[in-house]
Amino acid sequence: MDYIGGRHDRILAVYNNLIEGAGLNVKSAAEHFGVSTKTIKRDIDDIRNFLSEKSVSDGSRREVIYDRANDNYRLVGCEKLSAKEIFALCKVMLESRAFCKKEFMPIMEKMIDRCAYDAEVAHIKDMVANEKFHYCEPRHKKELIDMLWTLSAAIKERKRLKIVYDRLTEPKHKERIVEPVGIMFSDYYFYLAAFIPEKETKNPTIYRIDRLSKFEIQPERFSVPYSNRFEEGEFRKRVQFMYGGDLLKLEFKYYGESVEAILDRLPTAEVISQENGVFLIRAEVFGRGIKPWILAQTDKIEVTKPIEFRNEIKGMISDMLKFYK
């Protein structure tokens, strides 16, 4: 069937083809539209010029490149998530319970609506409908997206923050100046990692962001030597339940069936030995936040080193037994 349409219709069709992620072969396109290959190449140049001007005006970074291996042109910088990827992300976000309903629902709807086909949109909405209806937002009910973005700017610009932090113990409201270095998420909550200038510590203090009742970015900047820079990824491997503290080198025996689950939970963990189905594992963690997790493993874990930490666990178990006598 011959193509019917003018030059503008053809350019729009070529552009739409590129946006959809399909590669554009010049010869095939010329045959489809009933024009010469030179005409298709001119269309591509027009699209490139349009994208270049758009990049200057709105900061977008899309361009048409030639893929020599596949002998076609592709639009890069605007790759879409597939329906399968969007569905997986929706499931993760629903389970995380990170946001209040007012913020979370529009985010999920926007993600789903990015699907290319109505059938995909309907399928995903059907698959998440029950969880969406029963979504349980965090009890603090705070809107966090603007806070997270503002805090990230302070981190990027190395600017100090004046914060008022709502504590669980007295004094309830603690005001201080901090140097923010990272934002992390764990078990329903976002956390700010920040150093306290007057305290010389190797590791940052952890603040739950929803408990920041007030914060102000200060004009003064702080500097961090490259050798002492904070690495969120490395810190995250060693911190459990967002407790701060000194680095603890831990060894324990694991008597359970899924050692993979242990290694996933503790990214720094390594199996030292295995005998009769019992794994000896070594890991590095920050602070004592690991204790609740160890106790939750019941008879599957036995701490062996350090001995003082082993004794702490024994003491906690003894104290727990008092409730059941």
Side-chain angles (χ1 to χ4, degrees), residues 140-187:
H140 61 70
K141 300 183 184 295
K142 283 191 175 182
E143 296 178 30
L144 298 175
I145 292 176
D146 287 342
M147 290 180 67
L148 293 171
W149 189 250
T150 303
L151 290 170
S152 72
I155 293 167
K156 181 181 179 181
E157 297 170 11
R158 298 288 193 203
K159 287 191 174 182
R160 290 181 171 177
L161 291 171
K162 178 190 285 186
I163 66 171
V164 177
Y165 190 64
D166 295 340
R167 294 154 45 100
L168 297 177
T169 57
E170 295 295 340
K172 290 290 187 182
H173 306 290
K174 184 71 174 180
E175 181 178 307
R176 64 165 72 250
I177 299 292
V178 299
E179 297 174 345
V181 291
I183 293 173
M184 293 170 287
F185 176 80
S186 177
D187 298 319

Side-chain angles (χ1 to χ4, degrees), residues 3-17 32-33 35 40 43 47:
Y3 174 77
I4 300 175
R7 175 175 178 271
H8 293 100
D9 293 327
R10 184 185 68 247
I11 292 176
L12 285 173
V14 169
Y15 184 45
N16 185 67
N17 181 275
H32 173 74
F33 292 111
V35 295
I40 296 298
D43 292 344
I47 293 170

Side-chain angles (χ1 to χ4, degrees), residues 51-69:
L51 292 174
S52 178
E53 292 174 5
K54 186 174 175 58
S55 175
V56 172
S57 63
D58 65 11
S60 60
R61 297 181 180 179
R62 296 184 296 176
E63 61 177 328
V64 179
I65 64 168
Y66 177 62
D67 183 351
R68 189 174 299 276

Side-chain angles (χ1 to χ4, degrees), residues 12 23 68 70 74 78 112 124 134 185 187 193 196 198 213 219-220 239 243 250 259 265 285 288 290 323:
L12 285 173
R68 189 174 299 276
N70 295 305
R74 293 190 296 109
C78 66
I112 296 173
I124 295 176
H134 292 286
F185 176 80
D187 298 319
I196 302 170
E198 62 270 22
S213 58
E220 64 268 21
V239 66
Y243 280 73
L250 183 69
V259 71
R265 179 67 194 191
V285 295
R288 296 297 196 260
I290 192 72
F323 292 115

